Amino acid sequence: MFLHHLNPSIKAITILLLVTLLALVFDPFTPFLFMICTIALTFIGGDINGKRYCLYFLPFSIIAFGMLWTTIAFADTPTHPQEEITLLGLTIPEESFVTALALSLRVLSVAALSLLFVFTTNIVDFILSLIQQLKLPPKIAYGVLAGYRFLPMMKDELLIIRTAHRVRGFDQAKTFRGKLDQYKKFSIPLLASAIRKAERTAMAMESKGFTGEKKRTFYRSFSVSFRDWAFLGLMVIALLFIASISWYLGYFRWYSGEL
């Protein structure tokens, strides 16, 4: 499960670099092969729950299908309109279909890369790595980390406020508009509680010597090793290798202004 032990910052840089390169590829074959490789790597190199992964991947599949359909429906006039294919009983220009398929598979490929990062990276480790390796100011980093930690507490706080309303005799709304009005009433005490918690957290951090200076010691230190750079290099080489196979088979297309 080596993906969990890679430096989070280098892993994030690798993902961003690959997404940038994929954005310049405009054929369906390259992103499809790279998506398959990324998913296989995620399951081989990480401790992943298959059912949970599929649930997270499903929304991206819906978005990709929507992009496929809208790109075909609103495509520009093709260069070779006589080249057509039949899909689900509909005759559409082949050029428009290939462009739409390339965009959709690119979305799925980027989704697979994003899930590789999300499922194999601890958010606290990522923030600490951003401070230590990429020199992110501690004031911003710990602010983001505190906000992330507050999310589960906000859920518990909302449950307490809702229970308090029930105790006072306010029934739970059943219509959509009623629920919307009810959440508006919940928002004020929820916001007041969040501000109180934020003030207490800030006071606690200051009382323990937090000044926001970059020169500080860390209980958990992160470093960049040869393994991290090897991961970055191998992923880029894998994409270039897949692109070369695509080029050899005659599928590869580089971005040349298509939309």
Side-chain angles (χ1 to χ4, degrees):
M1 307 306 166
F2 68 95
L3 287 176
H4 296 274
H5 303 294
L6 293 173
N7 184 284
S9 291
I10 302 300
K11 202 192 304 181
I13 290 172
T14 305
I15 301 299
L16 289 175
L17 180 61
L18 292 170
V19 169
T20 305
L21 291 174
L22 278 171
L24 300 174
V25 176
F26 231 80
D27 69 87
F29 189 75
T30 307
F32 175 72
L33 273 188
F34 192 70
M35 178 189 70
I36 298 296
C37 293
T38 305
I39 293 173
L41 177 66
T42 305
F43 279 91
I44 293 170
D47 185 14
I48 309 297
N49 183 306
K51 185 179 178 181
R52 192 160 168 252
Y53 186 92
C54 291
L55 284 174
Y56 275 74
F57 200 79
L58 182 62
F60 295 104
S61 304
I62 296 171
I63 292 171
F65 179 76
M67 180 170 282
L68 175 75
W69 188 251
T70 53
T71 305
I72 292 174
F74 300 104
D76 292 336
T77 305
T79 310
H80 305 287
Q82 68 278 7
E83 297 177 357
E84 295 177 333
I85 61 170
T86 302
L87 182 68
L88 300 176
L90 299 173
T91 302
I92 55 177
E94 184 180 348
E95 186 180 331
S96 301
F97 175 72
V98 171
T99 302
L101 191 61
L103 290 174
S104 305
L105 289 173
R106 187 196 297 168
V107 169
L108 293 179
S109 189
V110 170
L113 283 170
S114 303
L115 292 181
L116 182 150
F117 181 80
V118 169
F119 278 93
T120 61
T121 307
N122 182 292
I123 185 66
V124 178
D125 293 348
F126 180 49
I127 296 291
L128 291 175
S129 176
L130 287 178
I131 299 173
Q132 296 175 31
Q133 269 76 56
L134 300 185
K135 308 304 177 188
L136 183 70
K139 283 185 179 179
I140 297 175
Y142 283 107
V144 172
L145 198 57
Y148 175 74
R149 291 288 190 188
F150 277 168
L151 289 177
M153 297 168 64
M154 296 287 282
K155 183 182 175 185
D156 295 337
E157 193 69 27
L158 179 63
L159 185 62
I160 292 171
I161 294 170
R162 185 181 291 170
T163 307
H165 274 70
R166 283 184 185 172
V167 169
R168 287 176 174 83
F170 291 99
D171 294 330
Q172 189 172 3
K174 295 179 180 177
T175 62
F176 176 75
R177 187 174 181 80
K179 288 184 179 179
L180 191 64
D181 291 337
Q182 207 166 42
Y183 275 106
K184 283 181 182 175
K185 293 176 184 173
F186 293 162
S187 63
I188 295 174
L190 195 63
L191 183 62
S193 173
I195 292 171
R196 271 201 305 272
K197 282 183 171 34
E199 285 180 348
R200 288 173 190 165
T201 305
M203 289 174 65
M205 291 174 73
E206 286 181 0
S207 67
K208 294 182 186 313
F210 179 78
T211 60
E213 293 181 359
K214 292 184 179 178
K215 292 183 179 178
R216 53 186 289 117
T217 57
F218 294 93
Y219 178 70
R220 296 166 63 186
S221 297
F222 291 87
S223 59
V224 180
S225 64
F226 173 76
R227 181 179 57 185
D228 303 308
W229 294 117
F231 173 73
L232 190 154
L234 288 174
M235 288 297 286
V236 173
I237 289 171
L239 178 58
L240 294 177
F241 180 69
I242 290 171
S244 65
I245 294 175
S246 177
W247 176 78
Y248 180 75
L249 296 176
Y251 294 112
F252 184 78
R253 278 175 60 197
W254 197 252
Y255 175 72
S256 56
E258 298 94 333
L259 286 175

